[in-house]
Amino acid sequence: MGENGPIRIVCFDLGGVIIRIHYTWEDTCKSVGLAVRKEAHEPKRLAATRSVTEAFATGRLEEDLWAREMVSALDGLYSAEEVERIHEGWLRDQYPGIDDVVSILNETKGVCTACLSNTNPRHWRMMKERYPAVRMLQHRHASHLMGYAKPDTGIYEAFETAMQCDGPSILFFDDLEDNVAAARSRGWHAHQIDPAGDPADQVRTCLASYGLM
């Protein structure tokens, strides 16, 4: 039980909690067999690609324009086909045991499961198609559909409104410190997951401390 009442919602980030991902452009390029072109990391290009990524993740950039905008941000260092290969390669496998955790929670009386993910239309489709644990979640919320991305407080407010709940009733798992801090500022019971470890075991340990496992 949380400090201000029972936990009603167990909410997961996806990348780094349910799904193993690549965290750098270099690692992703290598995973799909592309050369790492160091010029892509010049400050001007980094800022431009970050802007495109944020627009795509908050629904402000149409999917059919995304690859072209990314190629432009990179000054043509990568082709549209290469950008799409890198984008697809960002997602890896599902963490072992996390589907069992979701399954148990789905059978727990008085609790529902959800996700709150910074993502985009392409990755959203891929995650729902590829990963059983994502499909098992009872409520799925994504940044590109909500118009905000973590750690913007707007996405947490939108989640609370959609789920008809308040912060203290939410138990939240995310791999990024800023996202956890923003959730805590709204009263969520937020815990940071180490993606290099065993997320399923970390989640189980935390759930046990709340009497949920």
Side-chain angles (χ1 to χ4, degrees), residues 29 51 73 187 199 207:
C29 283
S51 178
L207 290 171

Side-chain angles (χ1 to χ4, degrees), residues 33 36 42 54 58 65 70 75 86 98 101 135 156 159-160 178 180 195 197 200 205 209:
V36 177
E42 292 178 359
E54 290 175 356
T58 52
L65 299 177
M70 188 62 79
D75 293 326
I86 294 165
I98 198 68
V101 173
R135 294 194 299 273
Y156 302 97
F159 180 88
E160 292 169 14
D178 287 350
V180 169
T205 298
S209 73

Side-chain angles (χ1 to χ4, degrees), residues 175-206:
D175 61 322
L176 298 182
E177 183 178 358
D178 287 350
N179 297 346
V180 169
R184 286 176 178 167
S185 74
R186 294 196 58 81
W188 295 26
H189 300 277
H191 298 267
Q192 187 173 3
I193 295 298
D194 176 8
D198 182 344
D201 187 60
Q202 295 169 57
V203 170
R204 279 192 292 264
T205 298
C206 184

Side-chain angles (χ1 to χ4, degrees), residues 133-195:
V134 176
R135 294 194 299 273
M136 291 166 63
L137 293 166
Q138 294 165 323
H139 304 273
R140 296 186 289 267
H141 299 274
S143 60
H144 68 287
L145 300 175
M146 304 176 88
Y148 299 96
K150 297 173 292 185
D152 190 316
T153 190
I155 196 169
Y156 302 97
E157 293 175 1
F159 180 88
E160 292 169 14
T161 298
M163 296 297 295
Q164 298 183 323
C165 65
D166 58 8
S169 68
I170 304 167
L171 179 58
F172 178 55
F173 299 101
D174 198 292
D175 61 322
L176 298 182
E177 183 178 358
D178 287 350
N179 297 346
V180 169
R184 286 176 178 167
S185 74
R186 294 196 58 81
W188 295 26
H189 300 277
H191 298 267
Q192 187 173 3
I193 295 298
D194 176 8

Side-chain angles (χ1 to χ4, degrees), residues 82-94:
E82 289 174 327
V83 164
E84 290 174 354
R85 281 173 60 190
I86 294 165
H87 188 71
E88 183 168 348
W90 211 271
L91 303 176
R92 299 171 64 187
D93 57 329
Q94 180 176 287

Side-chain angles (χ1 to χ4, degrees), residues 117-136:
S117 176
N118 282 356
T119 188
N120 54 70
R122 290 184 177 215
H123 278 171
W124 190 235
R125 286 196 302 272
M126 290 166 60
M127 290 189 291
K128 290 189 291 184
E129 290 169 1
R130 291 183 180 180
Y131 307 108
V134 176
R135 294 194 299 273
M136 291 166 63

